[in-house]
Amino acid sequence: MPAVRASIPGIPTEQIAQSLARGSALGAERVSRFAIEASHPTFGGRVVDDLEGATSKTLFQEAEIALARRDIDRAEALARRAHALETEKGEYLALLAWVEGQRPENQSPSSTQQRIGMLDRAVSLDRECERAYFYRAHLYRRLDNNAAAHKDFR
């Protein structure tokens, strides 16, 4: 059986090795992709360049996934790319502002206020962007501005 140096979440290493030995579809393509992702030094094991030519919607969705996995570097890179492709989408700007606000260096009151400004712009682009109101409310809470937070939570 071939030596397996990568893992696929939810699939035992033995099964991967057996699949490689048989030459089945689970084998080389999936294992090599995960091996590349696992070895990438910058984005927490995920390769952002694997989405070259992706639509802004795909980039946005991948950014949401990265954020849910707490991969802030990847989430920010993808959200920034999605926003660059469609600068008039409030939802994309809101996600970028929120991801930037999650970085430890952006937790200060002045940095938080800058992210609130980004979210103000997101709201001006799309008055129905619930994400922008929700994120802005959380940032207002960080600044102990409970009245503004309460207003946005409504």
Side-chain angles (χ1 to χ4, degrees):
M1 215 174 286
V4 177
R5 295 183 186 190
S7 65
I8 299 174
I11 302 176
T13 304
E14 284 179 21
Q15 184 181 350
I16 296 169
Q18 290 170 354
S19 180
L20 281 170
R22 289 191 318 265
S24 72
L26 172 62
E29 183 181 330
R30 284 187 72 191
V31 171
S32 65
R33 183 171 190 279
F34 277 88
I36 290 168
E37 289 176 354
S39 66
H40 195 276
T42 307
F43 294 103
R46 296 285 317 261
V47 180
V48 171
D49 292 336
D50 65 351
L51 296 170
E52 197 62 42
T55 65
S56 60
K57 182 177 180 180
T58 300
L59 293 168
F60 175 76
Q61 291 168 340
E62 287 288 325
E64 288 180 305
I65 292 167
L67 180 62
R69 292 179 176 166
R70 300 200 184 278
D71 187 349
I72 301 299
D73 291 333
R74 180 172 170 80
E76 183 177 353
L78 291 166
R80 192 172 302 288
R81 283 177 53 192
H83 175 64
L85 289 174
E86 291 195 51
T87 58
E88 297 304 311
K89 284 248 185 182
E91 195 169 31
Y92 295 1
L93 180 58
L95 182 62
L96 178 59
W98 180 250
V99 171
E100 286 181 359
Q102 299 309 299
R103 293 191 169 283
E105 63 269 20
N106 291 334
Q107 302 279 318
S108 70
S110 63
S111 291
T112 299
Q113 195 59 51
Q114 288 176 336
R115 302 307 167 269
I116 289 172
M118 291 172 70
L119 291 164
D120 290 343
R121 171 127 168 77
V123 167
S124 72
L125 291 171
D126 181 2
R127 295 262 179 228
E128 296 180 18
C129 182
E130 292 178 10
R131 176 186 307 264
Y133 290 107
F134 181 75
Y135 291 157
R136 191 171 67 178
H138 278 284
L139 294 180
Y140 277 135
R141 277 188 30 195
R142 185 185 294 170
L143 296 176
D144 293 324
N145 186 344
N146 293 324
H150 182 70
K151 181 181 172 198
D152 276 352
F153 275 130
R154 283 200 249 166

